[in-house]
Amino acid sequence: MDQHCPLETRLAHLSPPGPVHVPSNGEPFWRHRCVFLTGSMTMATGGMSSPPSVPRHTNRLINEKSPYLLQHAHNPVDWYPWGQEAFDKAKNENKLIFLSVGYSTCHWCHVMEEESFKNKEIGEIMNKNFVCIKVDREERPDVDKVYMTFVQATSGGGGWPMSVWLTPDLKPFAGGTYFPPEDGVHRVGFRTVLLRIAEQWKENKDALLQNSQKILEALLHVSEIRVQGQESPPPSKEVMATCLQQLSNSYDEDYGGFSKSPKFPTPVNLNFLFTYWALHRTTPEGARALQMALHTLKMMAHGGIHDHICQGFHRYSTDQHWHVPHFEKMLYDQGQLAATYSRAFQISGDEFFANVVQDILLYVSRDLSDQAGGFYSAEDADSYPTTASEEKREGAFCVWTAEEIRALLPDPVEGATEGTTLGDVFMHHYGVKETGNVSPMQDPHQELKGKNVLIVRYSPELTAAKFGLEAGRLGALLREGRRRLSAARAQRPRPHLDTKMLAAWNGLMISGFAQAGVALAEQEYVSRAARAAAFLRRHLFDPASGRLLRSCYRGEENTVEQSAVPIQGFLEDYVFVIQALFDLYEASLEQSWLEWALQLQHMQDKLFWDPKGFAYFSSEAGDPSLLLRLKNDQDGAEPAANSVTVTNLLRAACYSGHKEWVEKAGQILAAFSERLQKIPIALPEMARATAVFHQTLKQVVICGDPQGEDTKEMLRCVHSIFSPNKVLMLADGDSSGFLYRQLPFLASLERKEGKATAYLCSNFSCSLPVTSPQELRGMLCP
């Protein structure tokens, strides 16, 4: 399931003995800007009024660090953070728990707060009848996943804000997503739901408790992922072929992407396609895989999902054309897309893709970077249209009227047809219309009426021809237009910035910078990745225990702060940080990153491995407040941790000689075997890893002086090639170094005739040495 806020929720009857739940209408809970399937639905009003200057209420969330929890610190609801104090209160007072889960840049979370959690009367009902708990899903993905599994299983949908009612021993029995405050024609309002559930608890407590126990047992059964008997990893040929077929069937031939609408970036799909192409370069299927990936990346970069003025990518497109986005920007999207566009450039050599990489990394460096080196989580979709506005609107920071653009770009263009202004050229190229270019279907609240979302409508050649310009002049004109619009946007109120820094998402961003540094031969990107990795080691790692922490926060005067009780890292934190450290080693050849990665892999094995059913649990054992230990079985907005860890384990084995890591990689694939063979489209990153597992990773060993020009030439050759089943290492001759201690066979590899020499090794036996980049290229691209 992807990260989004919900569209609409309707409540079923709340009467035992059947399980009590909130069903969806069978459609995904997408953002509000969708085509409505039921015309009579009344929708919640978007927009947020500005907070009063002196808050009337303050609850205990004021002591938290999470920006999301702090947003609710002045609600009249007596919120508790997830923890023992709340659990004890529920048990001691024999009260049900109301659990609300969201994140700070979620539009519908803001709406439900504005409508219900700021409402004094509703707050009184909540405080009287429930112990109310608020959770930031980005801080506690483990809690979110347990209860989202329940909501999805009982309603067929899910999203945020998530609203779940629990017994005092934390078992769920009713749930849903967004609720409007009052009853409507087709739905029950939040006030009514609260009162009905409170009444049920008084009159039918035993039935509710029995139901909650049954629901928990059913969830335990359906959520279990384990190896069946002596199962072995599935054959990669079939898995890859099925995944390609399923992606091809869902592919949009006109606009790219893998659905009609809404459209998500899904880097996991694109990376699968690149790997498929690399392993089947000469086949029609390989050509098809590459075409789908490159076309999708071009259409996304031209679309409104790409911020043409202030760089970076928005969360997703609400339409088929990548045009009108949900305007929130997430760090994990920027990190994965930087890596994916870097691969597109490696494969195609097309500078277009390199320019997009530079664009993403400029945005992250400027707007999502903490001065201590870490990366912030997200920018909100909503903002105030002007400094005098009292209501936030979605996209206000990003959209334009034709009038604004004309006023900013009035200059006549020399050499163009008579009367042409810079505004004319710019508006034509980016699809700007006098009445706005957003369809009412994409704008049910009329927040974007008369506004334009910039989208590249024509090739440079066609735009130039339209105005009688030489094609070479157009680029400079468009750059000047973008520069002026950027300066104008800088005067607008900025969206809320979530300054929480998460280990997992920082890992994805480090990989983005490191892979871009390699593909684009930009050392400054590698340096930025190293700075962020040093930040993680300093602020999100405990050297005494050897464990990662989940999160830290920007504090007063730009300090970095921790929660009073730091949140321990989850599986995804280890997996994405380990991947980042391997990527950073290959980009920098600094062995300390490799050493740390292998230490973290040992710790991951210790905390999360399931020795009975195989694969890794998402959270560690020993937390009594977690009813289930789950294994994520879907690559969504972020790849599932088990998917990425297959390749991590294979890389770790190559750098350490530990064969048990290869065995573990195979056991993960065996545990997910049924899903991989039937619906690999749900796990494209793991399907990709299946091929890497069966192909066996090739160790590309360069023997040479790190400062030597011949060594650098060989390294540039390796970096310029996309090869999904290689690991790179530099044998610098220092037998006391970390790599030589891990891999004794390196001592037997020599420089031929004193030149930098490359060996291609597999299972620790090596090819004949080569000393020219051309020969090496031939070995890497057979």
Side-chain angles (χ1 to χ4, degrees):
M1 186 182 63
D2 235 306
Q3 175 161 334
H4 46 262
C5 300
L7 172 63
E8 164 68 2
T9 309
R10 288 174 290 162
L11 191 69
H13 64 278
L14 284 167
S15 54
V20 186
H21 64 267
V22 182
S24 78
N25 57 7
E27 292 297 313
F29 286 110
W30 302 118
R31 278 268 312 171
H32 61 305
R33 213 168 267 135
C34 306
V35 179
F36 299 141
L37 303 180
T38 47
S40 54
M41 281 187 196
T42 7
M43 294 303 297
T45 52
M48 298 164 57
S49 59
S50 53
S53 53
V54 180
R56 291 183 200 165
H57 308 277
T58 301
N59 57 50
R60 57 183 52 73
L61 296 185
I62 198 68
N63 300 316
E64 297 300 305
K65 300 291 184 193
S66 155
Y68 177 63
L69 299 187
L70 288 169
Q71 283 171 348
H72 294 77
H74 297 298
N75 296 167
V77 179
D78 187 16
W79 290 117
Y80 284 76
W82 182 264
Q84 201 58 46
E85 185 186 4
F87 310 152
D88 290 344
K89 181 178 170 71
K91 281 189 174 169
N92 294 338
E93 298 181 14
N94 195 24
K95 275 186 174 177
L96 291 172
I97 290 170
F98 171 67
L99 172 66
S100 175
V101 182
Y103 56 103
S104 83
T105 57
C106 159
H107 176 84
W108 282 97
C109 301
H110 300 330
V111 172
M112 192 161 175
E113 181 197 16
E114 195 67 29
E115 295 176 333
S116 293
F117 303 149
K118 284 186 178 179
N119 181 304
K120 194 161 178 272
E121 288 175 41
I122 289 178
E124 284 171 359
I125 296 169
M126 293 170 72
N127 297 338
K128 179 183 173 187
N129 296 287
F130 305 96
V131 174
C132 301
I133 298 179
K134 217 4 135 172
V135 166
D136 180 341
R137 69 170 297 270
E138 294 168 354
E139 275 192 330
R140 292 301 302 259
D142 54 338
V143 175
D144 176 59
K145 184 65 178 170
V146 166
Y147 295 105
M148 187 60 77
T149 300
F150 159 72
V151 170
Q152 288 179 303
T154 54
S155 74
W160 296 277
M162 176 168 62
S163 306
V164 190
W165 284 266
L166 322 176
T167 63
D169 57 359
L170 306 179
K171 292 172 187 167
F173 65 88
T177 52
Y178 162 79
F179 290 91
E182 307 298 342
D183 296 349
V185 179
H186 293 290
R187 62 205 179 161
V188 182
F190 188 54
R191 182 198 304 267
T192 303
V193 176
L194 290 168
L195 292 171
R196 285 191 191 173
I197 288 178
E199 188 183 349
Q200 296 269 331
W201 181 241
K202 282 179 191 164
E203 296 181 5
N204 297 297
K205 187 181 297 181
D206 290 344
L208 275 185
L209 290 171
Q210 283 173 10
N211 279 336
S212 69
Q213 184 57 38
K214 284 179 188 168
I215 289 167
L216 182 62
E217 287 165 9
L219 284 180
L220 278 164
H221 179 69
V222 299
S223 63
E224 191 173 40
I225 293 166
R226 58 181 301 113
V227 71
Q228 311 292 328
Q230 295 299 308
E231 209 165 307
S232 55
S236 66
K237 192 176 175 187
E238 286 82 348
V239 170
M240 293 288 279
T242 305
C243 192
L244 180 70
Q245 188 60 54
Q246 290 175 347
L247 282 171
S248 193
N249 290 346
S250 63
Y251 179 67
D252 181 342
E253 299 286 352
D254 295 321
Y255 297 99
F258 302 92
S259 61
K260 292 300 180 193
S261 68
K263 273 201 163 96
F264 287 82
T266 54
V268 287
N269 290 342
L270 304 169
N271 291 331
F272 168 84
L273 294 171
F274 285 151
T275 295
Y276 190 96
W277 166 80
L279 300 176
H280 306 84
R281 289 172 197 243
T282 58
T283 67
E285 293 81 11
R288 166 72 170 163
L290 185 60
Q291 177 266 327
M292 286 194 286
L294 295 181
H295 179 54
T296 297
L297 286 168
K298 281 220 163 170
M299 296 306 288
M300 278 168 47
H302 287 317
I305 190 176
H306 181 198
D307 186 342
H308 296 283
I309 302 304
C310 288
Q311 298 80 42
F313 279 79
H314 297 296
R315 184 65 203 92
Y316 60 84
S317 164
T318 62
D319 56 76
Q320 182 182 359
H321 315 112
W322 301 107
H323 180 203
V324 182
H326 168 34
F327 290 89
E328 157 191 34
K329 287 179 177 174
M330 306 300 298
L331 180 67
Y332 59 75
D333 284 324
Q334 316 308 321
Q336 292 178 87
L337 288 170
T340 303
Y341 277 97
S342 294
R343 290 183 195 123
F345 174 63
Q346 267 182 326
I347 290 165
S348 68
D350 186 341
E351 288 288 337
F352 174 87
F353 298 115
N355 292 338
V356 179
V357 174
Q358 290 162 343
D359 169 290
I360 294 168
L361 299 184
L362 171 61
Y363 164 68
V364 172
S365 299
R366 186 189 64 227
D367 294 343
L368 295 183
S369 284
D370 186 83
Q371 64 180 30
F375 299 111
Y376 301 140
S377 292
E379 275 196 304
D380 208 336
D382 301 356
S383 60
Y384 295 107
T386 69
T387 49
S389 302
E390 293 192 356
E391 275 203 353
K392 289 187 177 183
R393 287 179 173 268
E394 193 188 2
F397 187 63
C398 303
V399 295
W400 305 90
T401 63
E403 188 182 6
E404 282 176 301
I405 295 176
R406 287 200 184 285
L408 288 166
L409 309 176
D411 324 39
V413 178
E414 284 182 38
T417 42
E418 194 175 344
T420 299
T421 65
L422 180 53
D424 294 331
V425 176
F426 192 92
M427 289 166 63
H428 177 78
H429 192 72
Y430 286 108
V432 174
K433 295 181 180 174
E434 298 295 339
T435 55
N437 67 4
V438 177
S439 159
M441 295 293 280
Q442 307 310 126
D443 186 29
H445 296 188
Q446 300 192 346
E447 287 177 295
L448 302 178
K449 190 175 182 181
K451 306 286 188 183
N452 289 274
V453 176
L454 302 187
I455 177 171
V456 175
R457 286 292 189 203
Y458 303 99
S459 69
E461 293 75 16
L462 283 174
T463 297
K466 159 94 176 161
F467 296 101
L469 288 164
E470 294 170 21
R473 286 199 57 209
L474 185 71
L477 293 171
L478 295 177
R479 271 195 302 279
E480 175 60 15
R482 292 194 299 267
R483 186 192 67 76
R484 291 195 204 170
L485 266 63
S486 177
R489 235 169 85 167
Q491 305 306 309
R492 296 175 177 176
R494 287 197 71 88
H496 159 72
L497 177 66
D498 185 331
T499 55
K500 176 173 72 268
M501 291 171 271
L502 300 174
W505 296 3
N506 270 257
L508 291 171
M509 199 66 242
I510 289 167
S511 285
F513 270 99
Q515 291 191 37
V518 159
L520 277 62
E522 284 285 356
Q523 185 53 43
E524 68 180 82
Y525 293 155
V526 180
S527 300
R528 182 66 187 91
R531 193 164 161 248
F535 172 90
L536 288 185
R537 195 155 56 185
R538 189 162 62 251
H539 294 288
L540 289 171
F541 176 64
D542 178 2
S545 66
R547 292 167 61 143
L548 288 172
L549 299 174
R550 169 69 174 174
S551 56
C552 59
Y553 311 84
R554 184 177 73 185
E556 296 296 319
E557 297 180 7
N558 287 325
T559 55
V560 177
E561 297 182 348
Q562 260 300 345
S563 304
V565 181
I567 301 167
Q568 295 296 318
F570 301 104
L571 175 64
E572 66 177 46
D573 295 300
Y574 284 82
V575 168
F576 295 159
V577 170
I578 290 166
Q579 175 180 250
L581 294 172
F582 285 142
D583 290 340
L584 183 51
Y585 167 72
E586 293 207 9
S588 68
L589 302 169
E590 172 54 61
Q591 293 186 30
S592 63
W593 303 126
L594 209 49
E595 191 167 359
W596 190 27
L598 297 179
Q599 286 170 1
L600 291 176
Q601 187 60 62
H602 283 296
M603 183 56 69
Q604 177 187 317
D605 295 349
K606 180 179 164 186
L607 295 175
F608 305 104
W609 181 251
D610 176 3
K612 293 180 183 169
F614 298 157
Y616 294 91
F617 288 112
S618 297
S619 55
E620 58 183 282
D623 183 345
S625 72
L626 281 185
L627 302 176
L628 307 171
R629 284 184 87 195
L630 298 168
K631 297 169 187 171
N632 192 1
D633 63 354
Q634 184 160 337
D635 294 325
E638 305 153 68
N642 272 296
S643 297
V644 173
T645 209
V646 174
T647 306
N648 279 359
L649 289 166
L650 298 173
R651 292 169 91 175
C654 282
Y655 286 123
S656 67
H658 292 330
K659 293 286 182 64
E660 70 270 19
W661 276 331
V662 177
E663 189 182 339
K664 267 189 166 67
Q667 288 169 333
I668 293 170
L669 297 173
F672 286 87
S673 181
E674 185 181 3
R675 197 162 174 81
L676 283 168
Q677 292 184 81
K678 288 182 178 172
I679 45 168
I681 194 173
L683 285 166
E685 175 60 28
M686 195 178 287
R688 193 191 74 74
T690 308
V692 176
F693 176 83
H694 285 292
Q695 290 269 330
T696 308
L697 280 180
K698 307 287 188 289
Q699 294 158 306
V700 181
V701 184
I702 310 291
C703 294
D705 173 3
Q707 303 308 317
E709 195 50 45
D710 55 348
T711 304
K712 289 177 182 176
E713 261 192 72
M714 293 295 243
L715 291 169
R716 278 195 290 271
C717 170
V718 178
H719 289 326
S720 69
I721 295 166
F722 174 71
S723 177
N725 60 329
K726 73 167 176 11
V727 298
L728 171 66
M729 59 186 78
L730 178 68
D732 58 6
D734 177 8
S735 57
S736 65
F738 177 74
L739 262 180
Y740 280 78
R741 297 199 311 274
Q742 295 289 310
L743 303 171
F745 84 94
L746 292 180
S748 67
L749 304 182
E750 297 174 342
R751 298 181 206 182
K752 196 175 170 189
E753 298 167 6
K755 297 178 185 173
T757 304
Y759 296 83
L760 201 58
C761 308
S762 185
N763 293 323
F764 310 104
S765 64
C766 300
S767 66
L768 291 172
V770 297
T771 56
S772 79
Q774 292 74 24
E775 289 174 293
L776 177 56
R777 181 173 289 277
M779 288 166 66
L780 291 172
C781 302

